[in-house]
Amino acid sequence: MALTRLTRTTLSIATRQLRQLSTRTMAQLVEPTEPTVVTDSVPGPASKSALRKLAKLQDTRAALFVGDYTKSVGNYIVDADGNTLLDMYCQIASIPVGYNNPRILAAASDPHMAVALANRPALGVFPANDWARLLEDSFVKVRPAGLDMVFTTAHGSDANELAFKAAVMHYARKKRGVRGFTEEELVSVMDNKTPGSPEVAILSFSLGFHGRTFGALSATRSKALHKLDIPAFKWPRAPFPQLRYPLDKYEAENAAEEKQCLEELDQILRSNPMPIAAAIIEPIQSEGGDRHASAEFFRGVRRITKEHDVLLIVDEVQTGCGATGTFWAHEQWELPTPPDMVTFSKKMQAAGFFHTREMVPEQPGRNFNTWLGDIPRALIAKAIVAEVAEHGLVKQVNETGAYMLKHLKPLAVRYHRVVTNVRGQGTFLAFDCPTSEIRAELLQLMRNEGVNMGGSGEETVRFRPMLTLTKAHVNVFLTRFQSVLNKLYQKHWP
Amino acid sequence: MALTRLTRTTLSIATRQLRQLSTRTMAQLVEPTEPTVVTDSVPGPASKSALRKLAKLQDTRAALFVGDYTKSVGNYIVDADGNTLLDMYCQIASIPVGYNNPRILAAASDPHMAVALANRPALGVFPANDWARLLEDSFVKVRPAGLDMVFTTAHGSDANELAFKAAVMHYARKKRGVRGFTEEELVSVMDNKTPGSPEVAILSFSLGFHGRTFGALSATRSKALHKLDIPAFKWPRAPFPQLRYPLDKYEAENAAEEKQCLEELDQILRSNPMPIAAAIIEPIQSEGGDRHASAEFFRGVRRITKEHDVLLIVDEVQTGCGATGTFWAHEQWELPTPPDMVTFSKKMQAAGFFHTREMVPEQPGRNFNTWLGDIPRALIAKAIVAEVAEHGLVKQVNETGAYMLKHLKPLAVRYHRVVTNVRGQGTFLAFDCPTSEIRAELLQLMRNEGVNMGGSGEETVRFRPMLTLTKAHVNVFLTRFQSVLNKLYQKHWP
């Protein structure tokens, strides 16, 4: 009875607070029409003070500013100083449908959410009775063609690592055939030695990024600083095409470059000293500097991996969930046979990988962990998928992206000393700066003007807006961008 | 304005639903005084039917039954058939203070939770303005002596992997001194080759378990099936003492065994071909079969690692958060110098590692990822820490554990064919069965009698109740346990 009374009290307090929030929300949560920066630069003094405090407990040296997520709304992030910035970086490409999106807030405030948060099951041992239904209402609604099953994980690195595990177990089963494990395998594995712990590789591509835990990091080739001093498996790297822009001008050179890369891939799969279980590739190399390749190149990758009986994992952690103009970027390749696994995270706000039934290991409990995902995050993903569908956000991304590209291209002519190689799909756009120093200066000036943007690779500026970006937001961006470009020109090329 | 109206509508629906839940909760959520099993066995037909449906989307072969988490309460889990089981397994040792605990439900229903769920920040780049305060109110309140900082992660494997990364980067800095990275390092690392990707090891102990992603799994030595067919780093394994029970009878043998293990550890640290950055150890080997060692042994491990300038990581993923009778199990060792890192997850319902400032890499962004933890899980951890403190649950664990141990020991005499080696700290108790088949039979019979329990290692039964277990719950368990032991005796030794 004490418990019952306490439950009543606490839930009634929560109800009252929610009503208060609802009242406050009505007063505040209207998306502004333009940014406002009230400090001399971003971060301002309140951000800096909060970061100094936080630095006692965590490493804050990569922080740009401190967010006030109660006040952020739609495409605008509000910081600790009260600056309101148009957000085109979106928590490293991971906010899909706006800050404090009403549908997401409603899902987050639903009593089912509270029960899910308060009672976290080990989903592989005691799954919740509504788990299958929730999977149907979230991930299954957007599963890529040919991939019936979904393995839920905690984040993008986790998704890739567990896909790698599925791949190497699949490889071993294929090689082993019907015989069981040998005594030698059972003993050697406890010492991390062959044949129980085999030498088998995941192939990845130059400048690819697949996460930062040990397995994922062995496939990551983005930057030395991501990898230095950390042991890595001796897994091979194939070349990713280095295309020249504009694509229509360099059609022949680019086709030759892609052909050369495919030949090298074929050569590595043919002759790598360590057997290769799977290849992993991003549809657009994101952390590596927004590097693109043609649909034909990716069809070639699928054809060659098939020829060598090597699995293909498409890493859609950053490209997935609509930003490239299709829900999954690899839909644009029109593959004759689907990839074997597709990993996701970031804008899905929940992580995992889609896979064929063949990727399930022969014995239970082998690709396994305690939580195997998180129901609250799946509830959020369900709301995201519904929001994208209801508002036709993938179509909107195409329209907004085309508008943005149309206006960026002339700027690359007019301000060619700063803006080159404008490229992208949907609103997943980018351009290159001449140096990383100029890029840093540009990004800082943009923040000071009220637009939050990010870099990728060494000299690239990447656009990672939400799917809810409209032409009006693009206009706001363009005004600030031109102003910043003029400032850069005045300073460096007066 | 459309957004504002939608926000108002959705939040008002949520408020109404929450009020309804609160009403339903008052009617339902009273902890029962004993289990009820309404099906012939567990899982019953409703669980089986739900699992068949789920099997189309996920691998369900390790599932025991399907939970109804809306109806589960306190120490009792309710399944899809309406069976109500006393839960002494608790989602693989990860429910701390009871299903639908009112304080946790209140934290989960708080408007701050909804905002946190709807606006997931990249905490390393745009931390929330209340993040430092939340860290103070959650993890910092229970941080182990000597470890000032806390790195937040997604789960236990993640915590260990990121602690390993901190360790190998610390090792490299120590070795490198003041010089920067060499050109050879910068180039070789992109091919996963030395010296950029160095050969450096994390030492672990026989039958230790540290997670199942590639780095964590290279330190895991629990079972072949956890590791087979998956590439592993050639990291060394030191022996963990194999103690004999009862401890007071075998005092001399056990002391000799521990001394021998420490000597072997010293030998490995002295002569391992690959340099060793850190050793990782569990206070009680949990997945490996509830294997214990004395405080003196662990003091020896700390002394020897210090002598060899090797970091010590204590893995408290399963032992942490009170179940062993101190908040962290390693507190019981009375170490002269603290470990360098302590990892946690499971009952904290949030994961990470505590560490000294020396574990922060020299350059920013090197031990890094997009989300770096999850604010909602930290809000839950805050409520857990408050609940444990307010109700004196660590003290209660000691009292309940002592009571349980007192009653288990005579059963090990009376039913010695089934129950041997009764052992443990707090309520983190265990015993061994003669075979894995007898254990499987015992666990199934216990579920059929309404008590959910789990195994560890090959033949061990582990108790992983919540911190809220009382003597009354123990009595409920003991009645069912004796009944099951009688059944086993009647069948096997009539």
Side-chain angles (χ1 to χ4, degrees), chain B residues 68-274:
Chain B
D68 184 339
Y69 298 105
T70 314
K71 295 182 184 148
S72 300
V73 53
N75 291 268
Y76 284 84
I77 183 168
V78 177
D79 77 4
D81 290 276
N83 296 313
T84 303
L85 291 84
L86 176 66
D87 197 355
M88 301 183 89
Y89 192 21
C90 298
Q91 311 299 333
I92 317 181
S94 71
I95 300 289
V97 290
Y99 292 107
N100 286 303
N101 176 294
R103 188 193 296 264
I104 312 296
L105 268 184
S109 313
D110 189 284
H112 290 103
M113 179 64 84
V115 170
L117 281 164
N119 306 286
R120 188 170 194 174
L123 284 166
V125 193
F126 308 102
N129 54 357
D130 49 2
W131 180 231
R133 173 70 179 275
L134 176 54
L135 291 173
E136 292 279 358
D137 290 345
S138 54
F139 311 115
V140 171
K141 279 208 187 303
V142 294
R143 73 181 155 192
L147 303 183
D148 287 345
M149 300 182 79
V150 60
F151 195 115
T152 40
T153 71
H155 50 60
S157 293
D158 214 30
N160 285 333
E161 291 239 347
L162 290 165
F164 292 177
K165 283 181 68 177
V168 296
M169 286 191 270
H170 180 263
Y171 173 83
R173 179 170 54 178
K174 200 170 62 181
K175 195 174 150 201
R176 180 178 290 120
V178 292
R179 76 158 171 83
F181 301 112
T182 65
E183 185 61 26
E184 196 190 358
E185 286 171 334
L186 292 168
V187 171
S188 60
V189 73
M190 301 313 290
D191 269 321
N192 293 349
K193 288 185 178 155
T194 58
S197 302
E199 299 279 340
V200 55
I202 306 295
L203 175 143
S204 58
F205 290 81
S206 310
L207 293 173
F209 181 91
H210 304 290
R212 297 175 69 158
T213 45
F214 283 78
L217 191 63
S218 293
T220 283
R221 315 283 181 162
S222 46
K223 279 183 191 169
L225 213 58
H226 292 161
K227 291 170 69 72
L228 278 160
D229 300 336
I230 300 158
F233 295 110
K234 307 293 176 240
W235 293 348
R237 167 171 66 150
F240 191 88
Q242 175 64 59
L243 301 190
R244 295 189 67 185
Y245 296 87
L247 294 176
D248 50 2
K249 188 171 166 193
Y250 295 102
E251 209 169 310
E253 288 94 323
N254 289 339
E257 165 73 3
E258 292 193 335
K259 187 162 172 283
Q260 175 64 29
C261 289
L262 290 175
E263 279 168 13
E264 288 190 42
L265 171 66
D266 182 69
Q267 194 52 44
I268 294 168
L269 294 182
R270 197 175 298 281
S271 63
N272 193 60
M274 198 188 287

Side-chain angles (χ1 to χ4, degrees), chain A residues 20 62 148 170 200 260 298 303-304 386 391 408 411 453 475:
Chain A
Q20 286 166 359
D148 287 345
H170 179 265
V200 55
Q260 175 64 29
F298 289 105
R303 176 176 49 74
I304 292 167
H391 297 286
L408 277 173
L411 292 176
M453 296 170 65
N475 291 340

Side-chain angles (χ1 to χ4, degrees), chain B residues 290-441:
Chain B
D290 281 62
R291 302 172 83 227
H292 292 253
S294 71
E296 195 176 335
F297 171 77
F298 289 105
R299 286 195 294 270
V301 170
R302 174 71 289 194
R303 178 177 45 76
I304 292 166
T305 49
K306 270 280 177 200
E307 279 167 13
H308 290 279
D309 200 12
V310 162
L311 301 172
L312 180 61
I313 306 168
V314 178
D315 180 338
E316 294 247 25
V317 167
Q318 191 154 165
T319 52
C321 197
T324 70
T326 44
F327 198 90
W328 303 107
H330 79 272
E331 292 170 40
Q332 297 172 41
W333 306 341
E334 299 181 349
L335 292 177
T337 50
D340 300 283
M341 292 179 261
V342 172
T343 62
F344 62 89
S345 182
K346 289 201 190 283
K347 272 193 287 293
M348 290 294 287
Q349 294 278 298
F353 63 96
F354 296 101
H355 61 92
T356 59
R357 187 160 292 275
E358 284 69 44
M359 296 303 111
V360 177
E362 209 168 4
Q363 299 83 2
R366 288 185 71 195
N367 212 359
F368 201 74
N369 56 58
T370 298
W371 287 326
L372 283 170
D374 196 16
I375 296 178
R377 291 293 166 198
L379 286 165
I380 297 290
K382 173 184 164 183
I384 291 166
V385 166
E387 184 78 354
V388 170
E390 184 182 317
H391 297 287
L393 292 180
V394 177
K395 183 160 170 278
Q396 180 175 322
V397 161
N398 276 308
E399 291 165 2
T400 310
Y403 179 81
M404 200 168 155
L405 203 56
K406 189 179 84 183
H407 286 84
L408 278 173
K409 284 193 169 161
L411 293 176
V413 178
R414 188 158 156 211
Y415 299 97
H416 62 276
R417 289 177 193 274
V418 178
V419 182
T420 54
N421 298 339
V422 171
R423 61 193 180 272
Q425 295 166 6
T427 54
F428 202 102
L429 302 176
F431 63 85
D432 294 334
C433 291
T435 64
S436 61
E437 291 75 21
I438 291 282
R439 178 182 66 179
E441 215 178 330

Side-chain angles (χ1 to χ4, degrees), chain A residues 257-271:
Chain A
E257 164 75 1
E258 292 193 336
K259 185 160 174 283
Q260 175 64 29
C261 288
L262 289 175
E263 279 168 12
E264 288 191 42
L265 171 65
D266 182 69
Q267 195 51 45
I268 295 169
L269 293 183
R270 196 175 297 281
S271 64

Side-chain angles (χ1 to χ4, degrees), chain A residues 412-429:
Chain A
V413 178
R414 186 158 157 212
Y415 299 96
H416 63 275
R417 290 177 192 274
V418 177
V419 181
T420 55
N421 299 338
V422 171
R423 59 193 181 274
Q425 296 166 6
T427 54
F428 202 103
L429 302 176

Side-chain angles (χ1 to χ4, degrees), chain A residues 5-264:
Chain A
R5 198 156 56 240
L6 186 48
T7 308
R8 184 196 300 134
T9 311
T10 47
L11 281 178
S12 113
I13 291 169
T15 309
R16 194 163 64 241
Q17 286 179 337
L18 196 56
R19 224 178 297 127
Q20 286 166 359
L21 179 82
S22 156
T23 312
R24 276 207 311 277
T25 303
M26 279 181 278
Q28 290 177 356
L29 289 192
V30 182
E31 192 181 86
T33 51
E34 57 177 23
T36 45
V37 176
V38 296
T39 57
D40 289 341
S41 69
V42 178
S47 271
K48 285 181 185 167
S49 160
L51 288 174
R52 272 194 302 275
K53 195 176 163 193
L54 181 57
K56 288 174 187 157
L57 302 173
Q58 297 198 322
D59 181 5
T60 58
R61 291 169 297 167
L64 291 173
F65 57 80
V66 167
D68 184 338
Y69 298 105
T70 315
K71 295 184 185 147
S72 300
V73 53
N75 291 269
Y76 285 84
I77 184 168
V78 176
D79 78 4
D81 289 275
N83 297 312
T84 302
L85 291 84
L86 176 65
D87 197 354
M88 302 184 88
Y89 193 21
C90 297
Q91 311 297 333
I92 316 181
S94 71
I95 300 289
V97 290
Y99 293 108
N100 287 302
N101 176 292
R103 188 193 297 264
I104 311 296
L105 268 184
S109 313
D110 189 285
H112 290 104
M113 179 64 85
V115 169
L117 281 163
N119 305 286
R120 186 171 195 174
L123 284 166
V125 194
F126 309 103
N129 54 357
D130 50 1
W131 181 229
R133 174 71 179 275
L134 176 54
L135 291 174
E136 292 280 358
D137 291 345
S138 53
F139 311 114
V140 171
K141 279 207 190 301
V142 294
R143 71 181 157 192
L147 304 183
D148 287 345
M149 301 183 76
V150 59
F151 195 114
T152 41
T153 70
H155 50 59
S157 294
D158 214 29
N160 285 333
E161 292 239 345
L162 291 166
F164 293 176
K165 284 181 68 177
V168 296
M169 287 192 270
H170 179 265
Y171 173 84
R173 180 171 54 178
K174 200 171 61 181
K175 195 175 149 199
R176 180 179 289 119
V178 290
R179 76 158 171 83
F181 300 111
T182 64
E183 185 62 25
E184 196 190 358
E185 285 172 334
L186 292 166
V187 170
S188 60
V189 73
M190 302 312 290
D191 270 322
N192 293 350
K193 288 185 178 154
T194 57
S197 302
E199 299 279 340
V200 55
I202 307 295
L203 175 143
S204 58
F205 290 81
S206 309
L207 293 174
F209 181 91
H210 305 289
R212 298 176 66 158
T213 46
F214 283 79
L217 192 64
S218 293
T220 284
R221 315 283 181 162
S222 47
K223 279 184 191 168
L225 212 60
H226 293 161
K227 292 171 69 72
L228 280 160
D229 301 336
I230 299 159
F233 294 111
K234 307 293 175 240
W235 292 349
R237 167 172 66 148
F240 190 89
Q242 175 65 58
L243 301 190
R244 295 188 68 184
Y245 296 86
L247 294 177
D248 48 4
K249 186 170 166 195
Y250 297 101
E251 210 169 309
E253 288 95 323
N254 289 338
E257 164 75 1
E258 292 193 336
K259 185 160 174 283
Q260 175 64 29
C261 288
L262 289 175
E263 279 168 12
E264 288 191 42

